[in-house]
Amino acid sequence: MSRVVPVAVTGLGCLCAAGADLPSCLETLFREERNPQPPTRFGSGHPVRYPVFEVPAEPAGGDGLSRTARLALAAAGEALADAGLERGALAGKRVGVCFGTTVGSAMNNEEFYRRFRGGEHPEMAAIERFLGSNPASVVATQYGLAGPCQTVVNACSSGTDAVGIGAAWIRSGLCDMVLAGGADELCRVTYNGFISLMITDESPVKPFDRLRKGLNLGEGAAVLVLESEEVRRLGKRPARAFVSGYGSACDAHHLTAPHPEGTGLKRALAEALAQSGTTPEAIAFVNAHGTGTPDNDRVESRVLAQALPGIPFLSTKGYTGHTLGAAGAIEAAFTVACLERGRVPANVGFADADPELPAEPVRQAAAIRGDSALSQSLAFGGNNAVIVFSRGEA
Amino acid sequence: MSALAIQGIGAVGAFGCGVADLRKALASGSVSPHSVPVPAAGSEIELPVFRAATERLEEFIPRRSLRRIDHFSRLALLGACLALQDAGRLEADRSRLGVVIATGYGALRTTFSFLDSFIEGGDACSSPTHFSSSVHNAAAANVSILLGVTGPSLTVSQFEMSVPSALLTARQWLADGRVDAVLLGGVDEYGDVLGYCWKRFYGVPDGVMLPLDFARQSAVAGEGAAFLLLTREAEARYGFVADVRQGNLAGALELGEEPRLVLGADGHRECGTLYRRHLPAAARVAAYAPLYGSLPVGPAFDLAVAALAAGEDRLFAPPPQGENGLPCALLGAGRFGEGVLGCLKLGRGGDYGLISVVRG
């Protein structure tokens, strides 16, 4: 794998439980605030009310679109505004959309199905909404974009993969510009699913902590505006950062558990670093997947201790919950923003070091040194994806 | 970007299983759909559906390993194994093999089985097995796990544009040198809920698909998997994917002069209107959906047909098309020759996918 040309990030948008836009999210992270609560948008028959991280506001966009699609549109709007791009500026350019999701691609409307299996004749509004809410298509349609469109459904690494794929589209000349990101909403079906797997914590998530018991679900969306150098320079848009490397690999081990030695993660990490030409000394920090599940955090800390010893790492899921298909994109946006600030927030939820883990995350907000940072995701199906960002021009 | 060499085809559908059955269906021009009962407001109706069987999977993978594998993943596994076998690479090293799977709806039946688990038993009885198998990338994961594929894995869900979109990434991986080969496949399954939706949206079809009768709704639901083994090699068993384009008709759709096209038209009147509007008069076209039905990943089957045509240097006579309102000529049997055969899919939202296949 040889080194590749970096791709500029010229705009960022993000909303999640930590904030309605990226600057608000960052303030929340550096204030070390979080407030997971039992879900308010759906009921649950579980004896324990597992907390989640909800986006408090109802995203705009109308009844005809799923909440996931509306979250995607909100993040895309912020990212384009951040890049200083108005709708008209996209006309005539080859603009692609690459989005990660999980819930946003699932035809699992519970109310519709309850009526169907109850022998009723349910109306088709829920299905029509599903068919009209593919996140990448919705964003492309809303902005009149004529380029390639891809919704990545690689479970929890979808958002990271979407950013890596979007950057490759720019590098190969397929697109002038790509809106790359991820979006996912909280949903009773996935809530039940993660509880059934017994990897959900009944208290606020504790990534990498000795007493970690599992994840808290969350929701949100993030978008990165990626641009070719030619188009960016014509528009005189500064790069907030560069996507300088991407790697992905499959464990081929288990449907829901990572390989105990992290074989796929090691390979993805090596590939991303080779693409970027980054040496470990240049890496300021790693935004880890850090779900707070016993298996994920054990494997991830072992791989990081082995491959990048001494490099600070943290999980931001303590502030956002696990936003599934959006997670990689939200964490990519946080990674870029932290690189710009030269600081990382504390790995909230971490208090006691686990003797089984060879490395511990950032305990307190800290200044960072180095021109690059990594964001990595591990997923059901054994998917592993890593992006390398390098410092922009600002 | 370099052309992709097509080294193997693995297809499973109502026509059967593997290249020989696909060729036989193309020769006969006819495959009969099954009659499937669909629950409808307390009663049942019969719906024609092109169903696919996966018994042959046990030729490749021990039955014991398949105990917890659902129909959706079995379709994908069988398609993947057949493609590797067809390429003569069943025993090849898979550390630099990538998996790219396209799906419109994912594991529909397991998705609803998971809902059944907590609707019937309460939230605390939610089935972890059904949940983990209902995730869209479960099929790609099972292919990687059971075949030992440790390269990158990707699942794309873009409804009827899933296949051209997925192919963009497969091409990128090969061009970037991330992998030496890619198993690219499309998979979708039929289930009761889909049958109900079909009836509500389109009524009950008579079972005769006439894809080029653009004024008639004749689509019959299908299921199956179609896989290709793609490499960067200079020699190809089934020709090459010379180009992939995916976008929206808001931009330009350039089909070239006198294009030869396998249309993704599959009996949906709404999309038929788009074909009628955008096909140039000099085009020659054929649609093969009557052999495998209407499913979001139909373009994977169209691509398999185009690849087989390139490999055998012959264009297959299409099944009855019912041409009505066709603004151009039919593409009949003949030599593939030196030209391009495009696989064109137009989607409801004005999306398009165009995959160009050449012999060499």
Side-chain angles (χ1 to χ4, degrees):
Chain A
M1 176 59 62
S2 54
R3 194 168 173 175
V4 299
V5 176
V7 172
V9 180
T10 59
L12 295 169
C14 176
L15 74 162
C16 59
D21 54 29
L22 185 58
S24 316
C25 290
L26 264 285
E27 293 315 309
T28 302
L29 265 60
F30 283 96
R31 283 199 305 265
E32 294 184 32
E33 285 178 3
R34 60 173 177 166
N35 188 27
Q37 297 285 341
T40 61
R41 295 183 50 253
F42 53 79
S44 165
H46 292 281
V48 175
R49 301 183 73 207
Y50 295 89
V52 296
F53 287 80
E54 285 180 348
V55 172
E58 190 62 34
D63 287 343
L65 293 176
S66 70
R67 185 173 169 86
T68 299
R70 286 180 285 130
L71 289 166
L73 282 173
E78 185 193 349
L80 286 167
D82 181 51
L85 283 160
E86 292 179 0
R87 224 168 254 270
L90 304 175
K93 295 189 176 63
R94 298 171 303 159
V95 185
V97 183
C98 194
F99 252 77
T101 194
T102 61
V103 177
S105 63
M107 190 166 115
N108 60 6
N109 186 280
E110 189 181 339
E111 187 187 340
F112 173 88
Y113 185 62
R114 278 182 185 272
R115 293 189 62 197
F116 168 77
R117 75 190 296 280
E120 294 181 50
H121 202 60
E123 290 304 319
M124 304 305 289
I127 303 300
E128 284 167 353
R129 186 166 56 246
F130 160 72
L131 293 172
S133 293
N134 180 277
S137 291
V138 166
V139 171
T141 303
Q142 185 80 12
Y143 287 95
L145 309 177
C149 205
Q150 186 166 115
T151 295
V152 174
V153 287
N154 263 10
C156 308
S157 68
S158 302
T160 303
D161 285 309
V163 174
I165 289 166
W169 287 357
I170 300 274
R171 265 199 308 272
S172 68
L174 187 66
C175 296
D176 301 317
M177 198 181 286
V178 174
L179 304 186
D184 250 328
E185 68 188 89
L186 277 163
C187 163
R188 219 180 86 82
V189 176
T190 41
Y191 185 76
N192 280 341
F194 279 96
I195 292 169
S196 76
L197 288 165
M198 296 190 287
I199 52 171
T200 307
D201 199 330
E202 72 272 17
S203 58
V205 61
K206 301 178 277 292
F208 299 106
D209 188 84
R210 183 174 64 86
L211 300 176
R212 69 191 184 280
K213 290 171 71 176
L215 54 81
N216 300 154
L217 285 173
E219 63 179 355
V223 171
L224 286 72
V225 178
L226 308 177
E227 291 195 60
S228 72
E229 281 308 286
E230 190 184 350
V231 167
R232 181 175 79 86
R233 288 189 192 286
L234 274 174
K236 297 180 178 154
R237 284 181 288 279
R240 291 188 67 168
F242 292 92
V243 178
S244 51
Y246 162 63
S248 67
C250 187
D251 287 341
H253 169 67
H254 191 273
L255 214 47
T256 57
H259 189 284
E261 302 303 320
T263 53
L265 179 58
K266 286 177 187 167
R267 180 168 165 176
L269 197 52
E271 189 180 353
L273 290 173
Q275 266 204 0
S276 68
T278 305
T279 58
E281 305 78 60
I283 300 171
F285 70 97
V286 178
N287 192 335
H289 191 53
T291 55
T293 62
D295 283 351
N296 177 88
D297 293 5
R298 185 186 309 113
V299 168
E300 217 178 351
S301 79
R302 283 179 183 168
V303 169
L304 288 172
Q306 199 176 67
L308 301 171
I311 292 177
F313 70 92
L314 75 153
S315 166
T316 50
K317 287 191 174 66
Y319 302 99
T320 63
H322 191 349
T323 57
L324 305 178
I330 289 173
E331 287 152 25
F334 289 171
T335 303
V336 171
C338 289
L339 250 187
E340 287 178 326
R341 282 193 177 209
R343 288 180 69 77
V344 287
N347 183 113
V348 72
F350 177 80
D352 294 333
D354 183 342
E356 266 198 71
L357 307 191
E360 64 176 63
V362 176
R363 281 180 181 266
Q364 291 180 325
I368 48 171
R369 288 195 312 175
D371 289 330
S372 298
L374 273 55
S375 184
Q376 64 187 29
S377 300
L378 288 75
F380 277 12
N383 287 352
N384 303 272
V386 179
I387 311 175
V388 182
F389 289 101
S390 52
R391 213 179 275 281
E393 300 164 329
Chain B
M1 212 174 274
S2 307
L4 306 177
I6 305 169
Q7 307 294 9
I9 299 172
V12 193
F15 55 84
C17 185
V19 169
D21 284 353
L22 179 60
R23 190 186 291 116
K24 207 181 296 175
L26 286 161
S28 75
S30 172
V31 173
S32 297
H34 303 79
S35 184
V36 177
V38 176
S43 62
E44 276 187 352
I45 55 156
E46 295 291 318
L47 192 73
V49 178
F50 288 98
R51 303 295 299 269
T54 60
E55 284 79 7
R56 278 195 58 195
L57 185 53
E58 290 179 21
E59 292 174 21
F60 302 98
I61 296 170
R63 180 183 293 189
R64 203 170 45 131
S65 304
L66 295 171
R67 273 179 310 166
R68 289 188 162 191
I69 307 293
D70 65 10
H71 183 61
F72 181 72
S73 282
R74 283 175 190 241
L75 286 169
L77 277 162
L78 183 51
C81 289
L82 287 166
L84 288 170
Q85 183 188 51
D86 186 48
R89 301 186 189 199
L90 256 181
E91 307 304 325
D93 174 65
R94 290 168 194 157
S95 61
R96 286 189 50 81
L97 175 64
V99 175
V100 178
I101 289 186
T103 180
Y105 303 135
L108 267 187
R109 285 152 67 171
T110 304
T111 295
F112 291 111
S113 295
F114 176 62
L115 267 65
D116 285 334
S117 70
F118 64 79
I119 290 173
E120 287 166 10
D123 288 353
C125 292
S126 302
S127 161
T129 304
H130 284 145
F131 178 63
S132 52
S133 296
S134 71
V135 178
H136 271 36
N137 70 332
N142 281 317
V143 167
S144 292
I145 292 166
L146 290 169
L147 302 184
V149 182
T150 54
S153 170
L154 176 76
T155 304
V156 170
S157 185
Q158 202 65 41
F159 296 133
E160 61 266 71
M161 290 301 132
S162 300
V163 172
S165 183
L167 190 52
L168 286 175
T169 299
R171 181 176 68 164
Q172 191 78 50
W173 287 0
L174 285 163
D176 289 349
R178 296 188 62 202
V179 293
D180 294 331
V182 174
L183 263 173
L184 170 99
V187 57
D188 267 308
E189 68 174 348
Y190 172 82
D192 282 350
V193 177
L194 188 71
Y196 173 78
C197 295
W198 203 275
K199 176 184 157 289
R200 289 295 306 269
F201 283 133
Y202 313 119
V204 179
D206 63 12
V208 180
M209 282 181 76
L210 296 171
L212 301 190
D213 183 346
F214 293 142
R216 181 166 178 253
Q217 176 67 34
S218 67
V220 174
E223 68 169 7
F227 274 69
L228 299 175
L229 184 70
L230 304 170
T231 71
R232 278 188 303 270
E233 291 158 312
E235 300 289 323
R237 186 165 176 205
Y238 293 108
F240 298 83
V241 174
D243 193 20
V244 190
R245 279 184 275 155
Q246 190 227 349
N248 192 283
L249 293 168
L253 172 61
E254 290 165 7
L255 295 171
E257 291 177 14
E258 300 181 15
R260 299 185 301 174
L261 299 168
V262 173
L263 297 185
D266 54 2
H268 285 293
R269 189 165 37 203
E270 191 182 347
C271 296
T273 308
L274 291 172
Y275 288 106
R276 189 163 49 195
R277 191 181 310 152
H278 290 281
L279 288 174
R284 285 179 295 148
V285 301
Y288 298 91
L291 305 180
Y292 29 84
S294 167
L295 67 170
V297 295
F301 289 87
D302 297 341
L303 180 55
V305 170
L308 191 57
E312 300 189 353
D313 193 15
R314 61 166 169 154
L315 298 171
F316 298 98
Q321 308 278 286
E323 47 290 16
N324 176 16
L326 187 66
C328 56
L330 267 185
L331 179 64
R335 278 194 64 214
F336 191 107
E338 298 310 308
V340 175
L341 182 61
C343 298
L344 175 67
K345 181 71 182 176
L346 301 182
R348 273 184 202 90
D351 298 326
Y352 74 85
L354 179 63
I355 304 168
S356 301
V357 176
V358 297
R359 291 197 68 227

